[in-house]
Amino acid sequence: MRLNIPFNHPRRESLLIREKLVDGFRKGIVAPEGLIAHGRGECFDYILGEKTQEFALRAIEAAAAAILLANHPVISVNGNVAALVPEYIVKLAEESGALIEVNLFYRTREREEAIKQHLLSHGAREVLGVGEDASATIPELFSERRRVSPRGILIADVVLVPLEDGDRTEALKRLGKFVVTIDLNPLSRTARTADVTIIDNVVRAMPLLVEKVRELKGRDREVLKEIISRYNNNEILQEALRFISHRLVELASRELRIRV
Amino acid sequence: MRLNIPFNHPRRESLLIREKLVDGFRKGIVAPEGLIAHGRGECFDYILGEKTQEFALRAIEAAAAAILLANHPVISVNGNVAALVPEYIVKLAEESGALIEVNLFYRTREREEAIKQHLLSHGAREVLGVGEDASATIPELFSERRRVSPRGILIADVVLVPLEDGDRTEALKRLGKFVVTIDLNPLSRTARTADVTIIDNVVRAMPLLVEKVRELKGRDREVLKEIISRYNNNEILQEALRFISHRLVELASRELRIRV
């Protein structure tokens, strides 16, 4: 942390998350482009009021049910996710039996390795998709982004891809995966392509998802299937957009100029 | 540029701008935090449809008039602005007689110097605010951010601060400056504190501002004063928010899911 952020700073929470990401960047976990992508998320979070909304809670429930029903669930981890919520990736894997796979937009061997070490140091038992392990390929735009683990994403039925790129999400859908994402932008291609879109900050959503998986774990499979069947992702996206636009209209009706 | 971004990628333009910024980062011009801030802007640009809207054109006209009416206009330049539009900073200075001053949130001697060299290599005659030249101080939160040039911002009457931090903008207002900003977020403190807020991408707004300064340069001072007096920044901010919220409501009424 380079700055002492005052306790009364209006955006303290957001600045602390940002510093966590910049730390990850200095450790070689986060790519420079990952910092830009984070900023885009920050802005949507600002509009959402930096709180988990009802539409996110409903998506979290569906996500938990899908992960618990899966035969082979995989958590796809990129640099930003590893930097922000390493402990919850590990907890989710433990609670649900999902495997963890590193999956980078800007893939370098150093960064793969740094992310793997970071996750192992937070208690992960195994981290797929690093080096030789990413030996399978899926059809995608950029050659380095095709690589996946033959023990992980290649054979997964449910994939959790928090903060994922649109091309990649579409590729996973074309392969027939059930895709769960966490994305603050309800208009992103990832948000619109996934089967379950949790429109929330990954920092708030991941602990809630772990908790929900714990809660639903003992339940009958029929109950979990019922949760999925009554879930409608298009409705969730529409609600998020309506929420955002109402908040902006409300803000727009006020005197906006700050006089100093 | 590290990736060959396909010509048909739906967000090609935005990805190319992003790469320009990452290039600036590798050259030591852009701070890591500047990458995050860029992403925050990207989000609003995405919602604005990545086009210059009517409310931005009106603000550009008022900005051009204010800069032309000023006795001592200064263009305050940070790393992101220098990386994205160095040629237009130089052109605006030439057309308007404004001085260029480097002004960083995270000030280091190396970065000041890198930005100065970058601007000089794009044809700037003089770049203030670097090293010893930033010997004056203005009251602000963090010590290194108080420093300004006694020949530049300290004595300026009109300051153009594209992509500026809220604290800094408020400090400039408290000093009685007429502040013009370019900011994609109509809700940012900078947008809400400035006298003229151009809600647009700096990459589109700066060329338009240069053009407008050229067009208005020969006009009578009374005409320019008239432009300023009928300009209302609160209206501009409200219009931008209304535009954004209408776009979101419109989008929310559609089928959002993308089927692949």
Side-chain angles (χ1 to χ4, degrees):
Chain A
M1 188 108 44
R2 300 194 330 183
L3 287 177
N4 285 316
I5 300 161
F7 276 98
N8 60 356
H9 193 289
R11 303 201 49 256
R12 179 178 162 79
E13 208 47 53
S14 168
L15 291 175
L16 290 175
I17 297 171
R18 187 189 288 188
E19 290 297 318
K20 206 166 176 178
L21 205 76
V22 173
D23 273 356
F25 169 70
R26 290 185 212 288
K27 285 182 191 151
I29 293 170
V30 172
E33 290 82 357
L35 297 179
I36 299 181
H38 178 75
R40 217 169 54 230
E42 263 187 10
C43 150
F44 280 103
D45 203 15
Y46 183 90
I47 300 176
L48 285 179
E50 294 173 354
K51 283 198 190 107
T52 302
Q53 303 295 341
E54 173 61 25
F55 46 81
L57 292 174
R58 276 159 55 204
I60 286 168
E61 188 186 48
I67 291 166
L68 288 170
L69 282 170
N71 291 315
H72 195 75
V74 171
I75 308 166
S76 170
V77 176
N78 63 21
N80 287 27
V81 175
L84 291 174
V85 285
E87 62 277 49
Y88 293 102
I89 297 165
V90 173
K91 279 182 192 162
L92 182 61
E94 298 229 322
E95 292 292 337
S96 67
L99 297 176
I100 300 171
E101 176 165 343
V102 174
N103 205 325
L104 307 181
F105 191 98
Y106 296 99
R107 192 181 269 274
T108 68
R109 187 61 204 265
E110 294 70 32
R111 213 149 68 75
E112 282 173 23
E113 207 43 73
I115 291 170
K116 180 177 177 176
Q117 289 312 319
H118 188 63
L119 293 171
L120 291 176
S121 78
H122 280 83
R125 291 192 211 176
E126 191 180 24
V127 177
L128 303 175
V130 176
E132 299 304 302
D133 185 60
S135 58
T137 61
I138 59 172
E140 259 189 272
L141 281 178
F142 305 117
S143 58
E144 275 308 285
R145 297 175 53 214
R146 305 175 185 225
R147 292 168 51 200
V148 295
S149 169
R151 294 182 296 144
I153 288 173
L154 189 72
I155 57 167
D157 50 354
V158 173
V159 190
L160 171 64
V161 285
L163 319 181
E164 187 53 273
D165 164 71
D167 287 343
R168 179 118 211 163
T169 306
E170 289 186 1
L172 292 173
K173 276 309 298 168
R174 277 193 295 268
L175 289 170
K177 315 291 183 193
F178 187 95
V179 176
V180 176
T181 191
I182 305 173
D183 193 326
L184 278 158
N185 176 2
L187 291 173
S188 77
R189 272 191 303 145
T190 289
R192 295 167 61 189
T193 305
D195 296 285
V196 175
T197 305
I198 302 167
I199 300 156
D200 197 14
N201 194 319
V202 71
V203 168
R204 293 188 302 269
M206 279 293 288
L208 293 171
L209 181 56
V210 171
E211 208 178 287
K212 190 52 87 177
V213 164
R214 258 180 215 148
E215 181 192 322
L216 295 181
K217 221 158 106 171
R219 301 285 175 85
D220 201 273
R221 287 180 69 87
E222 291 311 312
V223 173
L224 302 180
K225 283 182 188 162
E226 174 62 25
I227 290 171
I228 307 270
S229 74
R230 64 162 195 262
Y231 179 83
N232 180 329
N233 210 42
N234 196 51
E235 264 174 37
I236 293 292
L237 297 174
Q238 290 181 335
E239 275 181 39
L241 280 178
R242 268 185 234 117
F243 177 90
I244 289 172
S245 64
H246 287 166
R247 226 176 91 86
L248 292 174
V249 170
E250 187 204 85
L251 288 161
S253 66
R254 299 185 198 163
E255 165 72 24
L256 287 165
R257 288 208 58 198
I258 299 170
R259 317 243 169 217
V260 295
Chain B
M1 189 107 42
R2 299 191 330 180
L3 285 178
N4 286 317
I5 298 161
F7 278 97
N8 61 355
H9 193 290
R11 300 201 51 257
R12 179 177 163 81
E13 207 47 52
S14 169
L15 289 175
L16 289 175
I17 297 172
R18 195 186 275 193
E19 291 297 317
K20 206 166 177 179
L21 207 75
V22 172
D23 273 355
F25 168 71
R26 292 185 211 284
K27 284 182 193 152
I29 293 170
V30 172
E33 290 81 358
L35 297 178
I36 298 181
H38 178 77
R40 257 201 336 269
E42 267 187 6
C43 145
F44 278 101
D45 204 14
Y46 194 92
I47 300 176
L48 284 177
E50 294 172 352
K51 282 200 190 107
T52 301
Q53 303 294 340
E54 172 61 24
F55 46 80
L57 293 174
R58 276 159 57 205
I60 285 168
E61 187 186 48
I67 290 166
L68 288 170
L69 283 170
N71 291 315
H72 194 76
V74 171
I75 308 166
S76 171
V77 176
N78 63 22
N80 287 27
V81 176
L84 292 173
V85 284
E87 63 278 48
Y88 293 101
I89 296 165
V90 173
K91 278 182 191 162
L92 183 61
E94 298 226 323
E95 292 292 338
S96 67
L99 297 175
I100 300 171
E101 177 166 342
V102 174
N103 205 325
L104 307 181
F105 190 99
Y106 296 97
R107 194 180 268 277
T108 68
R109 187 61 203 267
E110 294 70 33
R111 213 150 68 76
E112 282 173 24
E113 207 43 73
I115 292 170
K116 180 178 177 174
Q117 290 312 320
H118 188 62
L119 293 170
L120 292 175
S121 78
H122 281 83
R125 290 193 213 175
E126 192 181 23
V127 178
L128 303 176
V130 176
E132 299 303 302
D133 185 61
S135 59
T137 60
I138 59 172
E140 261 190 88
L141 279 177
F142 303 116
S143 59
E144 274 308 284
R145 296 176 53 215
R146 307 175 182 223
R147 292 167 53 198
V148 294
S149 169
R151 294 182 296 144
I153 289 173
L154 189 71
I155 57 167
D157 49 355
V158 173
V159 190
L160 171 64
V161 284
L163 320 182
E164 187 53 274
D165 162 72
D167 288 342
R168 179 120 211 163
T169 306
E170 290 186 1
L172 292 172
K173 276 310 298 169
R174 276 194 295 269
L175 289 169
K177 314 292 184 194
F178 187 94
V179 176
V180 176
T181 192
I182 305 172
D183 193 325
L184 277 158
N185 175 2
L187 291 172
S188 76
R189 271 192 304 146
T190 289
R192 294 166 60 190
T193 306
D195 296 285
V196 175
T197 304
I198 302 167
I199 300 156
D200 198 13
N201 194 320
V202 73
V203 168
R204 294 188 301 268
M206 279 295 288
L208 293 171
L209 181 56
V210 170
E211 207 177 285
K212 189 51 87 176
V213 163
R214 259 182 214 145
E215 179 192 324
L216 294 181
K217 220 159 108 172
R219 301 286 173 85
D220 201 274
R221 286 180 69 86
E222 291 311 310
V223 173
L224 302 180
K225 282 181 189 163
E226 176 62 24
I227 290 171
I228 307 273
S229 74
R230 64 162 195 261
Y231 179 82
N232 181 329
N233 209 43
N234 196 51
E235 264 174 38
I236 294 292
L237 296 174
Q238 289 181 336
E239 273 180 39
L241 279 176
R242 267 185 233 115
F243 176 90
I244 289 171
S245 63
H246 287 164
R247 223 174 93 86
L248 293 174
V249 169
E250 187 204 85
L251 287 162
S253 67
R254 298 185 200 165
E255 165 73 23
L256 288 163
R257 287 205 60 195
I258 300 169
R259 318 243 169 217
V260 294

